[in-house]
Each structure stands twice: as structure tokens, then as C-alpha cells.
Amino acid sequence: MNRAELADFLRRARTRLHPSDVGLVAGPRRRTLGLRREEVASLTGMSTDYYTRLEQSRGPHPSRQMLTALARALRLTGDERAHLFHLADEEPPRHEVPSGHVRPGLLLVLDRLYDAPASVVTDLGDVLAQNALSKALSGDASARPPRDRNLLRRYFLDPTAREIVPPEDREEHARVHVANLRAVAASRPADPAPAALVAELRTASAEFATLWDQHEVAVRRATTKRFRHPVVGLLELDCEILLNDENHHLLVLHTARPGTESHERLRLLRVVGLQDMTPSGTVRAPNEP
């Protein structure tokens, strides 16, 4: 715990606030710049002596609840709140509920990745956006009902969703899905969505239930994945996963190494796109961003 930096940060955050910012009346004889120490203490529910000692670099280690109260009382931004927790040698609180809104800047990045399949998914596996090549590789998730856009729900409950994965790789895919969900569920105990998805899949899929009971934990990271596309054939792609921790979004990017057969097939897929290239009609591959 960095007591000196914490004290300085608290003093500066306190003095930049006006009493009206927190619903207090300044009064006619106010000489203190910003809020008084006793006012901050009152807003956080701590004693004035306790808060004074924090500002004088001699206070005890504040609890997480006290840090949260300080961040709220001092009207700290998200970055400032995280800084406050770091100064107290604590992990900043996580955002429990992921947003379904993809930032415009991220959508722009997605569109500019014209030569590599890329998608934005939540850490629970809900597909939020895809570029054209991702749709050509694994199908357009937006064409399905919202509930069916979840990768785990489809992988364990829809047999056709596994057709894009080579048979010898399917068991490993299932294991990775479950191990990642285990990590996500543990990191968001106050969010009912992970628990609800786990309960649904445990009830509906014996395979999922068996894997869940093995209690494996592994966050999705960079790896190599293979896809069986109905037109261009087998592709071996490097998968990079970039995390936006603020709203639990993942940018999933697939690339082929130059000079490989997969690289040529990916270039062909870019030309083919979603054209009607099979006797049965438009190419529609199961979704596995």
C-alpha cells in the first residue's frame, strides 16, 4: 500500500470538489478549498479521525468497501477509481454486466480487417458483430435469433454447429469452451447471466455437465484452430483474442500464415464470400468465431 501517494490523491480529489457537487451547502464563512475532511468522512460513513489519518499517510489499510465509498463520495471517474484501488494494493472492481453495444471505433477496426475473419463476442460467447470474411467462414450470426447467437449454446445444443470443426478437434473445442466459461462465471459472481447459462447447459447437455464437473479453468487466449469450410476446404488459422476488459468484449481475429495452403484458401474464401457455390444453395457454415 502506497500511503503517501494515496494521501496525496485523496487530498487533491477532495479539494477539487465544491460542496454543491455532492449536495451540500457551502455556507457564508467557508474558507476551505473544496470539501472539508469531515464532509468526506460523513459522505463515506467513516469517522473524521480515520479519514484524516488516511490523508496524513498514517492510516490503516482501507477495506474494499471503504475504497468504494471513497470513490463514490469523491466522484471519481472509472480510471480514478481503479487508481485509488491500486494505491491501496487492491484489485479494482470489475464491471459485472457486459454491454451488448459495440463501440463505433471497434466496428471500424472490424470492417478494416478485410483480409482476416474477425468478430466481436462477449466473454460469455454472444456474437455481437462480424466482418464479411468472418461471415463467409462461419456463417452470419445476425441472421439467427438473438438466443442462438451464443457460441456455447449452439456448440452443445445444436449438432450442426460442430460441422465446421474437424471431428478430431471437437472434444478439445468443447473442453476449452467449458473451461473458459468456468473462469468467466467465477469472475462475475454478482452477474446472474453466467450462472443461468451454466444451469441451462448442464440440464440440456450431458457432455457439458461431464466437462463442467471436471472443474477445468482456462481463459481463452491465442491458439491455432482448424475449420472445415464446405467450399474452400480445411483451413488452419492462428487465433488472436484481444480483450476489452471494460465491457467484457473480445475481438477474435483469425489469420493464416503467408505461404501456406490455408493462406491461399483464405484468399479464395474472400473472393467466394457467401456466394451460392453449392447445389443446396448459399454457403452457410456453423458459427465458431
Side-chain angles (χ1 to χ4, degrees):
M1 173 176 166
N2 192 330
R3 283 182 168 81
E5 288 290 320
L6 177 62
D8 183 68
F9 183 63
L10 290 175
R11 285 194 300 270
R12 293 179 184 277
R14 173 174 61 83
T15 56
R16 75 184 180 189
L17 286 175
H18 189 271
S20 61
D21 295 333
V22 295
L24 299 177
V25 178
R29 296 184 178 181
R30 191 177 192 90
R31 298 179 180 178
T32 304
L33 181 64
L35 297 181
R36 298 188 178 103
R37 287 174 176 171
E38 59 266 26
E39 291 172 334
V40 175
S42 177
L43 290 169
T44 57
M46 67 178 70
S47 69
T48 302
D49 177 67
Y50 184 97
Y51 180 76
T52 299
R53 283 185 289 146
L54 286 177
E55 280 203 6
Q56 293 176 346
S57 305
R58 59 187 182 88
H61 189 289
S63 67
R64 294 182 62 83
Q65 292 81 1
M66 196 63 72
L67 292 170
T68 299
L70 282 168
R72 183 171 56 249
L74 295 171
R75 302 299 192 264
L76 301 184
T77 66
D79 290 338
E80 290 170 338
R81 182 181 67 164
H83 182 63
L84 174 68
F85 273 76
H86 285 144
L87 291 178
D89 198 23
E90 291 283 349
E91 183 68 20
R94 298 175 180 269
H95 293 272
E96 292 293 331
V97 181
S99 170
H101 174 71
V102 182
R103 291 181 176 178
L106 188 54
L107 290 175
L108 181 62
V109 171
L110 203 64
D111 290 337
R112 290 188 175 181
L113 294 170
Y114 62 90
D115 59 348
S119 59
V120 178
V121 302
T122 68
D123 55 2
L124 282 180
D126 295 315
V127 181
L128 302 178
Q130 297 171 273
N131 67 1
L133 199 50
S134 172
K135 295 176 182 179
L137 173 65
S138 54
D140 185 357
S142 65
R144 295 190 289 270
R147 178 179 174 80
D148 295 335
R149 297 173 193 173
N150 182 273
L151 298 176
L152 282 83
R153 185 177 286 114
R154 294 198 68 241
Y155 195 82
F156 287 100
L157 303 184
D158 182 358
T160 64
R162 301 194 179 200
E163 293 176 359
I164 196 172
V165 180
E168 59 272 24
D169 297 349
R170 292 173 186 174
E171 182 178 345
E172 175 65 12
H173 273 252
R175 187 189 65 79
V176 170
H177 275 314
V178 177
N180 181 77
L181 180 57
R182 171 74 74 172
V184 173
S187 70
R188 304 222 308 268
D191 182 3
L197 182 60
V198 170
E200 176 189 354
L201 294 178
R202 290 197 72 181
T203 300
S205 170
E207 179 188 19
F208 179 90
T210 298
L211 291 171
W212 184 262
D213 289 341
Q214 293 176 7
H215 209 123
E216 291 189 34
V217 182
V219 177
R220 291 179 65 182
R221 293 187 175 88
T223 186
T224 300
K225 298 168 67 174
R226 300 196 303 164
F227 298 86
R228 292 196 316 168
H229 192 272
V231 175
V232 302
L234 183 68
L235 299 103
E236 184 172 294
L237 305 178
D238 293 326
C239 176
E240 292 289 340
I241 300 178
L242 307 178
L243 172 65
N244 181 342
D245 193 51
E246 182 177 351
N247 49 13
H248 304 280
H249 288 178
L250 309 175
L251 175 61
V252 183
L253 176 66
H254 293 98
T255 59
R257 298 175 186 177
T260 64
E261 191 171 7
S262 292
H263 186 262
E264 294 304 314
R265 290 177 176 175
L266 193 59
R267 291 179 62 186
L268 175 61
L269 180 62
R270 181 182 163 197
V271 176
V272 172
L274 289 174
Q275 297 179 43
D276 188 355
M277 297 292 290
T278 65
S280 60
T282 304
V283 174
R284 294 185 185 275
N287 200 315
E288 175 69 22

